[in-house]
Amino acid sequence: MAKHLKNLLFSAFPLLCILFLLSISFSQTSADTPPATPVPPSKLCKSTPFPSFCNTVLPSSNSSANVYDYGRFSVRKSLSAARKFLSLIEKYLRKSKQLTITAVRALEDCKFLAESNIDHLMSSFQIVDQTSKTLSVLEADDVQTLLSAILTNTQTCIDGLQATASAWRVRNGILSPLSNDTRLYSVSLALFTKGWVPKKKSRPSSSIPAGRKQLKMRNGSLNLKMSARNQAIYSTVNKRRLLQADSGDNQVLVSDIVIVSQDGTGNFTTINDAVAAAPNNTDGTSGYFLIYITAGVYEEYVSIGKNKKYLMMIGDGINQTIITGNHSVVDGWTTFNSSSFAVVGTGFVAVNITFRNTAGAIKHQAVAVRNGADLSTFYSCSFEAYQDTLYVHSLRQFYVECDIYGTVDFIFGNAAVVFQNCNLYPRLPMSNQFNAITAQGRTDPNQNTGISIQNCTIRAADDLANSNITIRTYLGRPWKEYSRTVYMQSFMDSLINPAGWTIWSGDFALNTSYYAEFNNSGPGSNTSQRVTWPGFHIINETDAANFTVSAFLLGDDWIPQTGAPYTAGLL
């Protein structure tokens, strides 16, 4: 009997091998189904953050549908949901006389954000509706950025309503549909990522080397290319001689120039009037509309809307040209609309300007700059406030050779942003407060967002350095569930707490956040006593390269035209 069984197994061995190989092949195919292959929604939904909700959304009647079909359906449904939500907000705002001013402000934020979502979804749908194949790296990053931003916008609306006590009358009627919208947007982002995004985001650039880009800029100086008329105007008022004499390919193209001067010698006496005079919806091909702001303290709340694209603002230098306000949460503003300066126009560039919120630590959240401008750059600028100084709200941003001052969460938001060669200055907070440099707000694992801090210097501001009080200062804390922040090749002074990072609330996001450090220096960079959360990592060069300007922002394709100096890769 044993011999017979042995012979039977021996004769069946080839068949067993074939079946085994087939099973491996099938498991590999089912695990990584090509996007164009028909797939049931129940299987596809498993790859989204909300499988059960996804199953209720995607149609199950079409057996030949694939990732692209479901992705288009989800984005189209998301657009419909965004429009319905905007109508709901407008309905509540029509009854604004029955609401407090703080509730109205929160609703106005939601209206602004809902309108932005509609724009982002329309742009996204135009692209996904045209192709059923993996997109180029640049196209995929554009759409993933927009779909990431709609989740950020929705969460910002939720945060504003929840933080506004007087909004309780409208909160319940709004938060419920927003919860469903958030899950729908998350499904759309997941399906887009699965179908249209290439596996490898970064791409080699043969035309631009990996090192530092020298674009004839020194200490906040730009090499500007403009007409003889504009050059004459600029040279007349520009005592710092920012304009270079040579004419090369590295010049920054300028289409027109206006001067803001408080003494009446320029074209305008206020910044907002100059912004209003800028052309609408330009594509940047003819150059930047340059607003030159002479030295002075400009006490005005500047807002650069979505129709004011490719504006460049140049001041007379840090602490010379100052834009300042004092709105705060304590005084009835939402965090979102407390900013002294706000920008959402694509391609914005600021150089040699100080942005300030003077509300003080006692007024809690008080933003100096809120930036939701895609492909925006701040070069040789300073940002001064206490809690929530710089709101890197959404989309793609770059900051180089800037100074940022603050206390609690003073760099926060959910943009894809790189800070390079900047100085970060924790200040003296109120009693019983600690300092947290960052509070990153990523809410979804498919968002291409995060804060990357490279070759920066972290030192105590003068008020903290000269204080006898011991203040705990941390690199960051997890504001949202998938918070992501990386410090690399930066100097950290002794003020950094040995733990490095601190909690938001209990064990919230300690498993799902991503915090990393790479090759930092200084007494505060010692990682031997760092937190032991699953989300904290000491990374190697390969992982760190993912958070460089070239890889994380695809900056080689848009930063050179701004004239700002930058390092594409690691140092």
Side-chain angles (χ1 to χ4, degrees), residues 127-156:
I127 294 175
V128 301
D129 196 39
Q130 293 174 357
T131 181
S132 293
K133 62 180 182 180
T134 301
L135 294 171
S136 70
V137 170
L138 290 174
E139 284 184 306
D141 196 58
D142 286 344
V143 179
Q144 190 176 10
T145 296
L146 295 177
L147 294 179
S148 295
I150 66 171
L151 279 165
T152 304
N153 290 341
T154 306
Q155 186 61 52
T156 303

Side-chain angles (χ1 to χ4, degrees), residues 223-227 231 243 247-249 251-255:
N223 181 23
L224 303 172
K225 184 178 181 180
M226 58 181 73
S227 69
Q231 184 169 336
L243 197 62
S247 58
D249 294 336
Q251 289 182 322
V252 177
L253 188 60
V254 174
S255 62

